[in-house]
Amino acid sequence: MGLIGRQQSSGAFLKLDDISSQFNGSTSTFNLTIGGQAFFAGNPYTLLVSIGGVIQEPIAAFTINQNQINFASAPRVGADFFIVVLATTNVDPLRSLTIGRRSGAHNIDLHGRAFAVKDRAGNTHSIAFNLA
């Protein structure tokens, strides 16, 4: 039977690494990873989060900051947990950028990093990347 309703817009579903072993009843902020690598969720509404079998509402029950999830209240010790990413892009993320000509080119790590550049007038401009 085919999918009823709106078709999946992009990408495959992903399951993030389990963080329930870190639940101690007092900590409410945890790093998000997939395969041990930092995961940067661009939008909390693309995450299906379950704690103790209860689906958590984005913004009300949790927020996302860079590669961290912050729960409104600390999960209890031993609570079951999972996060499924409901939408991703179908392209490989850009992880580095080469600027300049081949001789004297500079390679910049982009994955969740921030850096600054100077324009010709000497003004500094901050640049930050949050790649999901």
Side-chain angles (χ1 to χ4, degrees):
M1 177 174 190
L3 177 67
I4 298 174
R6 196 175 92 197
Q7 296 294 317
Q8 179 180 345
S9 59
S10 64
F13 298 113
L14 303 171
K15 185 174 180 185
L16 298 186
D17 294 342
D18 188 357
I19 58 173
S20 62
S21 64
Q22 300 172 44
F23 294 168
N24 61 12
S26 61
T27 302
S28 60
T29 301
F30 304 90
N31 291 326
L32 296 176
T33 58
I34 186 163
Q37 297 293 313
F39 179 82
F40 294 83
N43 181 341
Y45 293 99
T46 63
L47 302 178
L48 178 65
V49 179
S50 173
I51 299 176
V54 178
I55 301 300
Q56 305 297 302
E57 182 181 359
I59 309 303
F62 70 92
T63 56
I64 300 296
N65 183 13
Q66 298 290 329
N67 67 323
Q68 294 185 322
I69 187 166
N70 184 35
F71 295 106
S73 59
R76 66 174 173 75
V77 175
D80 291 330
F81 170 85
F82 69 83
I83 293 182
V84 173
V85 181
L86 300 176
T88 61
T89 58
N90 340 358
V91 295
D92 290 332
L94 179 65
R95 298 210 183 263
S96 67
L97 176 65
T98 301
I99 298 175
R101 297 187 178 136
R102 289 185 184 167
S103 62
H106 299 282
N107 193 18
I108 302 170
D109 178 12
L110 299 178
H111 193 68
R113 304 288 194 262
F115 60 94
V117 294
K118 287 189 178 184
D119 62 22
R120 291 181 183 171
N123 300 315
T124 301
H125 303 276
S126 296
I127 300 173
F129 293 91
N130 185 12
L131 306 173

